[in-house]
Amino acid sequence: MGRGRKLILLGVLLVVIDQVFKVLVKTNMELGEQIFVLGQWFRLCFVENEGMAFGMSFGGQTGKLLLSSFRVILGGFLIWWIHSLNRKEGTPVGVLVGLTMITAGAFGNVMDCLFYGLIWDYAPFMFGKVVDMLYFPIIRTETFTFFEPVFNFADSCVTVGAFYLILFQWKFFTREEKKEPSR
């Protein structure tokens, strides 16, 4: 199996895992319900957000439409970029895997925005909410909680892919392209 097919398989697998988790939470938990998995440290906590990072919203209905449209365009660009890099000799597999993780995570959340409103009959196409469920209040005192956002598997794919690229593949993105002398 070629490198491109393996990347497609990885991307599809990550999106499927994300969607399975979200559908299980959406169909088996009440909005706001929490399940304590590891004491106070890890919980499943069903929340929905408008689609931006950490539950932020952006400009009402117009902002939601623009955000959903931007995400679809960005996802298409990322697929094109991965395809182009895959065809270039010398592109490290790690770069392609990191970008595939980011793209799969982005598409997992885009699918929520595009279709969940229709599937669960609460919003039109492109106006669905993103399902979040993973909550790790890492440091918690009576007056302070470090890292309070609730997130999902797709968010994790984007974050891990981005950190991986920054930590281990930065040289690829900072190198100068060698240009062939013109004749």
Side-chain angles (χ1 to χ4, degrees):
M1 182 182 316
R3 190 162 75 167
R5 288 191 178 166
K6 288 178 184 176
L7 292 169
I8 292 169
L9 184 62
L10 173 64
V12 168
L13 178 65
L14 294 174
V15 171
V16 167
I17 290 169
D18 174 64
Q19 291 300 305
V20 166
F21 281 140
K22 289 173 178 174
V23 169
L24 285 173
V25 165
K26 187 113 174 109
T27 57
N28 291 293
M29 292 178 73
E30 296 292 323
L31 193 59
E33 181 180 352
Q34 295 185 47
I35 298 172
F36 292 84
V37 179
L38 291 173
Q40 293 289 327
W41 188 77
F42 169 46
R43 313 175 206 179
L44 293 177
C45 181
F46 177 22
V47 298
E48 293 180 317
N49 71 57
E50 294 297 321
M52 284 188 67
F54 309 117
M56 295 184 289
S57 58
F58 174 69
Q61 295 294 317
T62 303
K64 177 69 172 171
L65 180 62
L66 290 172
L67 179 64
S68 294
S69 300
F70 173 74
R71 285 179 158 172
V72 170
I73 292 166
L74 181 62
F77 169 76
L78 286 169
I79 290 172
W80 170 83
W81 192 27
I82 293 167
H83 176 73
S84 297
L85 289 174
N86 187 42
R87 295 175 58 124
K88 278 187 177 179
E89 205 170 302
T91 302
V93 172
V95 168
L96 299 169
V97 169
L99 289 172
T100 298
M101 290 178 71
I102 292 168
T103 305
F107 267 103
N109 285 336
V110 165
M111 288 178 65
D112 295 19
C113 292
L114 296 182
F115 302 112
Y116 276 27
L118 295 173
I119 293 169
W120 277 280
D121 197 28
Y122 68 84
F125 179 68
M126 296 183 84
F127 288 89
K129 294 181 180 179
V130 175
V131 174
D132 290 327
M133 77 290 294
L134 303 172
Y135 182 47
F136 293 89
I138 297 171
I139 299 171
R140 187 179 176 95
T141 68
E142 287 184 29
T143 58
F144 174 76
T145 302
F146 175 75
F147 196 74
E148 204 156 17
V150 180
F151 59 98
N152 58 45
F153 184 79
D155 298 333
S156 299
C157 289
V158 171
T159 303
V160 169
F163 277 121
Y164 174 77
L165 291 175
I166 291 167
L167 293 174
F168 301 108
Q169 300 296 329
W170 61 271
K171 286 182 180 178
F172 175 79
F173 295 102
T174 59
R175 74 178 188 198
E176 300 248 350
E177 286 289 323
K178 294 178 183 173
K179 297 192 180 192
E180 303 258 341
S182 55
R183 295 180 180 197

